[in-house]
Amino acid sequence: MPISLKQIRYFVSTAESGQISQAAVALSISQSAITTAIKDLEAEVGATLFSRSQQGMDLTPAGRELLFHAYEVLAKVDEMTGISVPGSDLAGTLSVAASYTVIGYYLPHHLERLRRNFPQLDIQLFELNREAIEEGLLANRYDIAVMLTANTNNPDLSTETHLSSRRRLWLPARHRLLARASVGLQDVSDEPYIMLTVDEAAHTSLKYWSKTPYRPSVRLRTSSVEAVRSLVANGQGVAILSDMVHRPWSLEGRRIETITLSDAIPAMDVGLAWKRGVTFTPAMQAFRDYFRQTYHVPMGR
């Protein structure tokens, strides 16, 4: 039985949410339909794609490999069909502020789709840190921002989260913790830790570490995700980062594995931000509607 697009979409939604129940809500279908689709997909590829735990559905190594292929398939389907957003003849300029992580690991694919849907819309992109993004929105230098929404609590801004990317422990291949049935922050505290600093990653990590009696044994602080990737893959330490920035291989071709921790680790939320009370221009509304449709967010104001 050939693999269907429906199975691929159900698989991707479950992988991104980590819960069959959440995937079912996002797709407006029953949990049993997703469970059946995943079982059929596992039978077709001949591998277990998820491990079930109290925390939800965790991708196995085979599942993580399939996820990257699934993204490629869905991207090709999008290229063939596009997505239906009214007003494809929209013209004008839209100034968009975005943070480092968003520009590097989230926006490129979406910008290409937006360009196809709105060929006459000039999207001007600016890379900034959170403080500069917030100040620029309030000063009307930027129309809208794409950022890590959990990082801002400015009362003068409105935010809307579209993607929650789970944070997991990154490990080199054959690391001893991979054999453990359960791994928590206590176990991580015994390992040399590579601390990412860009986009307030260090501040975010210390917030969930501070809720425990443990602390990371930081070997190196770096603003480079690629440096973290290479150092972990080469056995120099471990890190806790989101699935959005994870890749299974370092630049040197070494494997990077992931584990879902037993402790509660907040997801990395990505979405839009704008000045509270601002009147949306047609370009701003089209930009917002694109992301809402892509991530199945209700289209009402």
Side-chain angles (χ1 to χ4, degrees):
M1 182 177 179
I3 295 173
S4 68
L5 279 175
K6 181 184 293 185
Q7 289 173 327
I8 293 174
R9 292 188 190 280
Y10 291 3
F11 164 72
V12 169
S13 184
T14 303
E16 290 180 341
S17 66
Q19 301 278 350
I20 287 180
S21 58
Q22 291 184 22
V25 170
L27 296 170
S28 299
I29 57 173
S30 67
Q31 295 185 38
S32 61
I34 294 182
T35 299
T36 299
I38 290 175
K39 287 182 178 178
D40 291 344
L41 185 59
E42 289 178 325
E44 185 64 28
V45 301
T48 300
L49 303 176
F50 293 97
S51 60
R52 283 73 172 172
S53 68
Q54 292 182 345
Q55 285 74 41
M57 303 283 283
D58 298 328
L59 286 169
T60 63
R64 191 165 295 283
E65 285 291 335
L66 184 64
L67 180 61
F68 285 100
H69 291 298
Y71 281 143
E72 291 178 356
V73 170
L74 295 180
K76 292 298 182 183
V77 171
D78 286 339
E79 289 177 8
M80 292 172 58
T81 62
I83 62 173
S84 177
V85 179
S88 60
D89 59 347
L90 182 70
T93 300
L94 182 69
S95 59
V96 179
S99 61
Y100 168 88
T101 303
V102 167
I103 286 180
Y105 297 93
Y106 178 74
L107 265 184
H109 169 64
H110 294 298
L111 289 173
E112 171 58 19
R113 294 174 69 183
L114 284 160
R115 183 192 64 79
R116 292 200 307 270
N117 286 320
F118 307 107
Q120 300 180 70
L121 179 62
D122 179 19
I123 298 178
Q124 299 179 350
L125 192 62
F126 302 87
E127 181 183 322
L128 303 159
N129 61 32
R130 177 184 59 81
E131 292 88 349
I133 289 175
E134 293 181 358
E135 192 274 331
L137 288 173
L138 296 178
N140 299 314
R141 283 197 299 276
Y142 313 112
D143 297 314
I144 202 164
V146 189
M147 61 189 300
L148 307 186
T149 52
N151 286 0
T152 182
N153 58 2
N154 192 314
D156 296 321
L157 297 179
S158 295
T159 63
E160 183 173 87
T161 297
H162 297 139
L163 172 67
S164 291
S165 179
R166 298 180 76 182
R167 288 185 170 95
R168 306 179 202 251
L169 177 66
W170 291 16
L171 301 160
R174 298 181 295 279
H175 192 280
R176 63 182 184 83
L177 291 180
L178 291 168
R180 297 274 188 89
S182 178
V183 176
L185 290 177
Q186 181 178 5
D187 302 298
V188 178
S189 68
D190 294 330
E191 301 291 324
Y193 194 88
I194 310 300
M195 179 71 78
L196 184 69
T197 59
V198 72
D199 273 351
E200 301 174 290
H203 176 70
T204 299
S205 66
L206 290 178
K207 285 197 293 187
Y208 58 76
W209 277 99
S210 67
K211 297 178 181 178
T212 75
Y214 316 111
R215 294 294 179 271
S217 178
V218 179
R219 169 171 289 183
L220 175 70
R221 297 176 184 270
T222 176
S223 61
S224 169
V225 177
E226 293 305 325
V228 175
R229 203 186 315 281
S230 290
L231 288 165
V232 169
N234 283 279
Q236 298 304 303
V238 302
I240 299 173
L241 290 174
S242 79
D243 286 349
M244 190 179 80
V245 300
H246 176 265
R247 302 293 182 270
W249 308 98
S250 70
L251 293 175
E252 304 88 357
R254 292 181 179 272
R255 181 80 184 181
I256 301 166
E257 305 288 356
T258 61
I259 291 177
T260 300
L261 294 168
S262 58
D263 296 275
I265 308 296
M268 186 173 75
D269 294 337
V270 184
L272 303 183
W274 59 90
K275 184 177 180 179
R276 187 177 297 277
V278 72
T279 299
F280 269 58
T281 64
M284 290 172 66
Q285 191 62 51
F287 191 79
R288 184 187 184 190
D289 286 347
Y290 160 81
F291 283 101
R292 283 179 157 187
Q293 182 173 351
T294 299
Y295 291 102
H296 310 288
V297 176
M299 296 290 282
R301 286 298 299 240

